[in-house]
Amino acid sequence: NAGVTQTPKFRILKIGQSMTLQCTQDMNHNYMYWYRQDPGMGLKLIYYSVGAGITDKGEVPNGYNVSRSTTEDFPLRLELAAPSQTSVYFCASSYLDSSTGELFFGEGSRLTVL
Amino acid sequence: GENVEQHPSTLSVQEGDSAVIKCTYSDSASNYFPWYKQELGKRPQLIIDIRSNVGEKKDQRIAVTLNKTAKHFSLHITETQPEDSAVYFCAASILGILTGGGNKLTFGTGTQLKVEL
């Protein structure tokens, strides 16, 4: 299994541009998440999904959109990029079974908005 | 919502010494407390977790303790080694099928641990 795969790994955007961060997992996990990580600030939840067709906001959703058309894919869309969205973005997934709470993270996508 | 505070932000120890990182949480309904390790430029990875019905859990050189009354939990690393150098994050969540929302972790701000030779 490849686990959680994110693309691209690095991207530079100009203010006002849009882009999509791709995330796919091959572990048949129901739950998927997008976090952003800013220096010294830990990880903050942007959006999450409990299954195909179902998404919900996390702590910091403004400026982002998501969709979940399949169990495997959970893309994150940035519209009208702003410097405040410069960050490292991590996609993660987890099992439906609540006996284990482990989140499996992708390698991250470093985004710079200039 | 949940708020998790983590201390210290940086910690430097000599190889072989012990390291302790402490976290507090605000939501008394939280029942799941994991610790993630993140090496430089890498993804966070789970190293140990504890449920609210357990006071202590140990896995080789690492252990976690939980005080539900005081709403704080701690990570203990004994006999530290250079490869323990990384950023450690604590987190908290309400985990269970009935929540219907997966495992929405709230993370602390991280502790940079440096193990010096």
Side-chain angles (χ1 to χ4, degrees), chain A residues 31 33 35 37 40 42-43 45 48 50 90 96 98-103 105-107, chain B residues 32 36 38 42-44 46 51 89 95-97 100-105 107-109:
Chain A
Y31 299 129
Y33 317 81
Y35 282 89
Q37 183 177 31
L43 293 96
L45 184 63
Y48 67 98
V50 302
F90 285 97
L96 175 63
S98 64
S99 66
T100 172
E102 182 174 4
L103 264 60
F105 285 89
E107 292 185 319
Chain B
Y32 177 69
Y36 281 79
Q38 186 179 30
K42 304 290 188 182
R43 73 189 83 190
L46 179 71
R51 302 290 185 113
F89 292 96
L95 185 64
I97 285 290
N103 188 13
K104 299 186 294 291
L105 290 172
F107 284 87
T109 51

Side-chain angles (χ1 to χ4, degrees), chain B:
Chain B
E2 176 68 279
N3 182 50
V4 176
E5 296 189 356
Q6 183 172 348
H7 301 280
S9 57
T10 60
L11 179 59
S12 185
V13 300
Q14 295 292 315
E15 183 180 9
D17 286 351
S18 294
V20 180
I21 303 170
K22 299 182 178 181
C23 290
T24 60
Y25 62 98
S26 61
D27 190 346
S28 57
S30 290
N31 61 4
Y32 177 69
F33 307 93
W35 288 87
Y36 281 79
K37 177 183 180 181
Q38 186 179 30
E39 296 176 354
L40 187 63
K42 304 290 188 182
R43 73 189 83 190
Q45 291 190 298
L46 179 71
I47 56 171
I48 196 168
D49 57 11
I50 193 168
R51 302 290 185 113
S52 59
N53 59 349
V54 176
E56 183 174 0
K57 185 177 179 180
K58 190 173 182 180
D59 183 4
Q60 299 182 345
R61 294 187 298 108
I62 60 174
V64 57
T65 59
L66 171 65
N67 183 328
K68 284 193 300 181
T69 302
K71 289 191 278 191
H72 66 69
F73 56 112
S74 300
L75 177 70
H76 304 254
I77 306 174
T78 59
E79 301 172 21
T80 53
Q81 301 168 3
E83 52 264 39
D84 294 329
S85 295
V87 178
Y88 292 81
F89 292 96
C90 62
S93 69
I94 303 171
L95 185 64
I97 285 290
L98 293 180
T99 65
N103 188 13
K104 299 186 294 291
L105 290 172
T106 298
F107 284 87
T109 51
T111 296
Q112 174 75 62
L113 174 63
K114 182 177 181 181
V115 180
E116 298 177 332
L117 298 173

